[in-house]
Amino acid sequence: MTETQRVQAAVRRNPYRYMLDDAELTELLSDLGHRRAESILRNHTAGPGKAPRGPYPRPAMGFVILDPTADVQAGHADAVLGAITVGDQARQFLPKAAAKAAAHRRLGRNNGTSVHTDPHLLGTGAFRYGHSAEVRGLIVAASSQTTDQDLYEASRLAAELVEEIAARHRDYEWRRGETDWLSSGDQPLALHNEMISWFPAEGSA
């Protein structure tokens, strides 16, 4: 019998409701989590010299995914798109992944550099390790393995999520046809109207 890893995914905020409801986005994250589970188990159980980045210390990992559409003024907790755990007792690694993701978002780069060269950027309570990955604006942080192994798994998850969202967006466009806005009513958000509400109406003095 083939060994399998337990995968749990959850969504905190969904910026893609125009094409995916929360259950569909959760299912997508779960599917991607199962891909990572295969990689984690393969690298954890590989024989000597077989794992390209060395054998993984544990068969479990935690991932935190940030929302690439979140406003820059949003707090880190409000910028979390979702999280994934792979393997038993993997939830314990989520705070470390969250710390890496928050540092990456604040600094604009992987915290793995700062912990070695720029400790003045960290401060009290900062996590002393990297790594996290940013792929085309999407930040994913992982924790449980060595720093390079965490970086590899985070980068694969980020790249695959970007590609999957793009594929679903193309399908959405073909279903909807020509529109201006990514909304059910094809109308601007209240925010966009508010931004120009001060401008005089046409024909006004």
Side-chain angles (χ1 to χ4, degrees), residues 139-151:
I139 295 172
V140 174
S143 185
S144 155
Q145 317 298 350
T146 69
T147 52
D148 286 350
Q149 293 162 355
D150 284 345
L151 179 58

Side-chain angles (χ1 to χ4, degrees), residues 179-192:
T179 63
D180 288 331
W181 302 93
L182 298 177
S183 63
S184 57
D186 195 21
Q187 295 294 319
L189 294 173
L191 168 65
H192 301 136

Side-chain angles (χ1 to χ4, degrees), residues 28-45:
L28 171 56
L29 294 186
S30 180
D31 289 344
L32 296 179
H34 281 285
R35 295 186 198 176
R36 301 281 44 85
E38 292 178 5
S39 174
I40 293 164
L41 187 59
R42 180 172 62 249
N43 284 283
H44 177 65
T45 58

